[in-house]
Amino acid sequence: MARLLVTGGAGFIGSNFVHHVIENTDHTVTVLDKLTYAGNRASLAGLPEDRVELVVGDVADAPLVNDLFSRHDAVVHYAAESHNDNSLDNPHPFLKTNVIGTYTLLEAARQHDVRLHHISTDEVYGDLALDDPQRFTETTAYNPSSPYSSTKAASDMLVRAWVRSFGVRATISNCSNNYGPYQHVEKFIPRQITNVIRGIRPKLYGTGQNVRDWIHADDHSSAVLTILDRGVIGETYLIGADGEENNRDVVETILELMGEDRSEYDLVTDRAGHDLRYAIDSTRLRRELGWEPAFTSFREGLESTIAWYRENEDWWAGAKDGVEAFYASKGQ
Ligand code: NAD
Ligand code: DAU
């Protein structure tokens, strides 16, 4: 049994991880989350109170972070500003949370010699051509495109430097696009599902040719637990489930699964600097640590995600109008 501190545990992937830990281990969890627009207490509802505690606070608050590190065995760091479109609108909070926040955690890990796992993204590698046979690996050069991905790249570099210079016991994982329950309606898949529920036509950026490599959030969680248990300190592991799909196919599949005509969507203004394709080669994680994803069918994963949004309208309804107003102001 370990005492885990999970930053950003009231967000999408962090809350999925907390549910996964409670269901699959005997660890206790303290969530440190600022409850920004992206954090939601309701994502932790129903979890046992004797094993899960929520501390509302900022990862850049050094005294708070130091106190929490002194009382935990390991830290999994999910907290971030996570949305590319928001980073194009106002990069400042991305610098503060993703860079200064990670620095604050690293200094606490150094002071208290606490094991840290840093959650990052495949976007640090930039993008690939549609016909490129290569996929991202642990040795691909960093080449981030957006304010969001450049702050995540900076945070990865800080972790590497603190490992090498100060002996901090940290690992890093870079994962591909997640989908599943508890994802904010600003993101692609929940936006389209909730659009269909509300009778709004789905919105596809540009021509919809961009490719993302989808993984169910629960598979991301099992990979992170695997790295926490067996990962080598100082190493980076790429997490992906061979789930490449272009955005047009995703929207058409959502429409079909929701009983609508596959052509009932709009093409809207493209994202500035829009990365074309992401693709992860997760051979290292599979071979060296023995991890395998449990969700093998994207279509079935989408079906269960659609069912979750249909059944949990209370969870997302409050955010929907504001998100659509923001996108409408940008022609998206
Ligand atoms: P999210 O936006 O859904 O959740 C982020 C959480 O962090 C929220 O609960 C928010 O309240 C909290 N937070 C933000 N600023 C904070 C601060 N200063 N202090 C404390 N808490 C703060 O994000 P997500 O999609 O769940 O992503 C989680 C992590 O996974 C991020 O580090 C992201 O870069 C990474 N990641 C995401 C994906 C994806 O597909 N969503 C893929 C790979 C990696
Ligand atoms: O690859 C990992 C990254 O995946 C994470 O690091 C990010 O935190 C996460 O947000 C996600 O980034 P993307 O920019 O790929 O995700 P998003 O859901 O915003 O968009 C997915 C794709 O869908 C992208 O090509 C843009 C497109 N899109 C998005 C929206 C919101 C649309 O076509 N229409 C939309 O309405």
Side-chain angles (χ1 to χ4, degrees), residues 18-25 47 51 218:
V18 176
H19 283 271
H20 186 93
V21 166
I22 295 305
E23 280 159 28
N24 293 284
T25 75
L47 290 168
R51 290 183 63 198
D218 199 53

Side-chain angles (χ1 to χ4, degrees), residues 67-85:
D67 175 51
L68 289 169
F69 271 60
S70 71
R71 297 190 272 119
H72 290 85
D73 302 308
V75 179
V76 186
H77 175 35
Y78 289 92
E81 286 293 336
S82 70
H83 194 36
N84 278 297
D85 291 319

Side-chain angles (χ1 to χ4, degrees), residues 193 254 257-258 301-311:
I193 293 171
I254 289 171
L257 290 172
M258 297 185 76
L302 260 188
E303 263 182 312
S304 64
T305 303
I306 290 167
W308 190 88
Y309 281 90
R310 283 197 196 280
E311 287 158 17

Side-chain angles (χ1 to χ4, degrees), residues 59 77 79-82 93-103 118 147-148 151-152 154-155 158:
V59 288
H77 175 35
E81 286 293 336
S82 70
F94 290 75
L95 274 294
K96 180 85 192 309
T97 291
N98 301 0
V99 182
I100 302 297
T102 302
Y103 157 73
H118 175 62
Y148 160 69
T151 59
K152 292 298 292 186
S155 68
L158 293 175

Side-chain angles (χ1 to χ4, degrees), residues 2-9 17 21 27-32 59 64-79 101-102 104-110 112-119 159 168-173 224-225 227-229 233:
R3 297 163 302 168
L4 296 185
L5 176 64
V6 178
T7 74
F17 178 74
V21 166
H27 303 328
T28 62
V29 176
T30 304
V31 169
L32 170 60
V59 288
L64 173 64
V65 164
N66 266 300
D67 175 51
L68 289 169
F69 271 60
S70 71
R71 297 190 272 119
H72 290 85
D73 302 308
V75 179
V76 186
H77 175 35
Y78 289 92
T102 302
T104 307
L105 298 182
L106 284 165
E107 283 291 81
R110 177 184 173 195
H112 298 281
D113 189 26
V114 171
R115 168 88 170 87
L116 173 70
H117 181 68
H118 175 62
I119 302 293
V159 176
V168 165
R169 293 185 294 126
T171 41
I172 300 174
S173 55
V224 169
L225 263 190
I227 297 166
L228 208 53
D229 284 349
I233 297 301

Side-chain angles (χ1 to χ4, degrees), residues 49-301:
E49 284 175 19
D50 58 338
R51 290 183 63 198
V52 180
E53 181 192 1
L54 171 63
V55 174
V56 179
D58 194 323
V59 288
D61 178 345
L64 173 64
V65 164
N66 266 300
D67 175 51
L68 289 169
F69 271 60
S70 71
R71 297 190 272 119
H72 290 85
D73 302 308
V75 179
V76 186
H77 175 35
Y78 289 92
E81 286 293 336
S82 70
H83 194 36
N84 278 297
D85 291 319
N86 294 343
S87 80
L88 296 165
D89 199 48
N90 177 18
H92 187 265
F94 290 75
L95 274 294
K96 180 85 192 309
T97 291
N98 301 0
V99 182
I100 302 297
T102 302
Y103 157 73
T104 307
L105 298 182
L106 284 165
E107 283 291 81
R110 177 184 173 195
Q111 188 176 333
H112 298 281
D113 189 26
V114 171
R115 168 88 170 87
L116 173 70
H117 181 68
H118 175 62
I119 302 293
S120 192
T121 169
D122 59 0
E123 294 195 18
V124 299
Y125 301 114
D127 60 353
L128 298 162
L130 292 180
D131 60 355
D132 190 337
Q134 303 294 318
R135 297 187 291 171
F136 300 137
T137 71
E138 285 78 5
T139 57
T140 302
Y142 275 42
N143 187 27
S145 312
S146 73
Y148 160 69
S149 55
S150 61
T151 59
K152 292 298 292 186
S155 68
D156 293 7
M157 293 302 165
L158 293 175
V159 176
R160 290 179 183 195
W162 261 245
V163 169
R164 176 157 173 166
S165 301
F166 303 122
V168 165
R169 293 185 294 126
T171 41
I172 300 174
S173 55
N174 298 80
C175 188
S176 61
N177 284 64
N178 285 223
Y179 73 99
Y182 303 111
Q183 187 169 27
H184 196 276
V185 291
E186 69 187 355
K187 301 294 194 322
F188 178 51
I189 287 178
R191 182 182 185 206
Q192 313 316 334
I193 293 171
T194 55
N195 274 357
V196 175
I197 293 171
R198 282 280 169 90
I200 304 168
R201 286 163 68 92
K203 309 288 183 228
L204 202 49
Y205 292 175
T207 61
Q209 65 179 330
N210 306 66
V211 170
R212 295 295 182 265
D213 188 353
W214 294 99
I215 181 172
H216 195 280
D218 199 53
D219 282 333
H220 189 176
S221 297
S222 68
V224 169
L225 263 190
T226 301
I227 297 166
L228 208 53
D229 284 349
R230 303 195 284 280
V232 177
I233 297 301
E235 293 298 327
T236 291
Y237 298 90
L238 263 56
I239 304 173
D242 301 331
E244 282 188 71
E245 302 278 344
N246 77 40
N247 293 342
R248 185 181 288 263
D249 287 342
V250 174
V251 162
E252 291 182 359
T253 305
I254 289 171
L255 281 161
E256 183 195 322
L257 290 172
M258 297 185 76
E260 304 290 329
D261 191 297
R262 286 175 68 97
S263 64
E264 292 294 320
Y265 57 85
D266 296 329
L267 297 179
V268 296
T269 307
D270 206 354
R271 173 184 286 171
H274 195 174
D275 279 341
L276 194 50
R277 171 173 163 246
Y278 305 139
I280 287 269
D281 179 346
S282 58
T283 303
R284 177 177 203 194
L285 177 63
R286 295 172 192 239
R287 280 214 189 122
E288 294 182 14
L289 303 188
W291 172 82
E292 289 293 335
F295 283 79
T296 48
S297 160
F298 178 60
R299 193 181 167 88
E300 284 172 19

